[in-house]
Amino acid sequence: MATTETDRESVLRVAAPREFTSADIEAGRKLFAGDWRFAAAAGSAGALPPMRGIEAAIAGRSNVGKSSLINALTGRRALARISHTPGRTQELIFFTGPSRLTLVDMPGYGYAAAAKTKIKAWTTLIHAFLLGRANLARVYLLVDARHGLKPVDSQVLETLDKAAVNYQIVLTKADAVKEAERAALLAATEALLAKHPAAHPQVFVTSARSGAGIAELRAAVAQLVNERARG
């Protein structure tokens, strides 16, 4: 079903956690403009590429929309490979553009059918990445707006808290949820995050399909990069 302008406006009413100026939006656009490309893939801690600039990681359950969000942010339809097979991404995938920013697509978690040995390997890799990347500015944890936070997400929140890695929740696929349900989910998620010390208190609501919330998320990432650069 096609997304109408009314649908997009409905999502936007709860999409931005704060007001952004036109200058903020333009800074976000510029940050993600240009030639973004695949830079590296790492299936183990020893294969991680040298640290470059500032990294922002995209994490979430399998099929939560990580690849779609990366493609929407960078304006590239096929930069990140979109798969309908849960658990297909088994490596950390690094994407670089003309700026100091590197986007890292993390392996999806919560795929029950994956072998225990594979899950253990993913867990070891993710922990090594979270604890060993001094240039990791933030993890954007994606949550499907149709389902909200699941127990497996809560385990990841605890892991990020213990690792003292700053993270922020991004609700995806918001165009598939009614406005009242989105607002309730947003409030409940923000209330839950107040109990997590490493969590950013504000939540983004996005739709890669309609584009809702994407410009605001770009602006927020641009602000993060600028703050980290000033460090």
Side-chain angles (χ1 to χ4, degrees):
M1 182 175 64
T3 301
T4 67
E5 187 63 26
T6 299
D7 293 333
R8 185 175 184 275
E9 290 175 355
S10 176
V11 175
L12 283 171
R13 278 196 285 270
V14 292
R18 50 152 290 177
E19 292 296 325
F20 290 95
T21 66
S22 58
D24 294 332
I25 298 296
E26 178 62 10
R29 187 196 66 79
K30 288 182 177 179
L31 176 67
F32 285 96
D35 186 19
W36 281 81
R37 61 183 64 189
F38 166 84
S44 66
L48 288 169
M51 288 183 282
R52 167 194 177 274
I54 297 168
E55 292 178 347
I58 311 296
R61 297 195 306 269
S62 295
N63 283 3
V64 74
K66 293 187 286 90
S67 296
S68 295
L69 184 72
I70 290 171
N71 290 339
L73 286 171
T74 60
R76 300 287 297 277
R77 296 183 64 179
L79 176 65
R81 183 178 180 182
I82 298 174
S83 172
H84 297 292
T85 304
R88 185 161 188 169
T89 302
Q90 302 175 21
E91 301 172 303
L92 289 163
I93 310 296
F94 294 76
F95 300 102
T96 57
S99 69
R100 293 168 50 87
L101 178 66
T102 295
L103 291 176
V104 186
D105 186 3
M106 301 182 71
Y109 57 82
Y111 180 41
K116 290 183 179 180
T117 54
K118 181 182 291 186
I119 293 173
K120 183 177 180 180
W122 290 355
T123 302
T124 300
L125 171 62
I126 290 170
H127 284 187
F129 172 71
L130 293 176
L131 295 173
R133 305 296 281 189
N135 64 332
L136 178 60
R138 181 167 297 168
V139 172
Y140 290 93
L141 184 63
L142 275 52
V143 173
D144 192 325
R146 298 172 300 178
H147 309 302
L149 286 161
K150 297 291 187 180
V152 67
D153 293 313
S154 298
Q155 294 174 15
V156 174
L157 299 187
E158 292 176 4
T159 297
L160 293 170
D161 287 336
K162 291 178 181 178
V165 174
N166 183 267
Y167 61 93
Q168 188 166 12
I169 298 291
V170 178
L171 299 176
T172 62
K173 306 181 182 181
D175 59 303
V177 182
K178 294 180 179 179
E179 183 178 354
E181 295 173 351
R182 285 196 304 271
L185 174 61
L186 179 61
T189 304
E190 290 177 337
L192 178 65
L193 290 179
K195 303 175 183 178
H196 292 272
H200 193 286
Q202 296 174 324
V203 177
F204 277 92
V205 183
T206 66
S207 168
R209 186 175 67 168
S210 72
I214 298 300
E216 290 78 12
L217 182 55
R218 287 176 181 152
V221 176
Q223 290 181 345
L224 175 67
V225 170
N226 290 335
E227 291 168 3
R228 190 65 178 258
R230 291 195 299 266

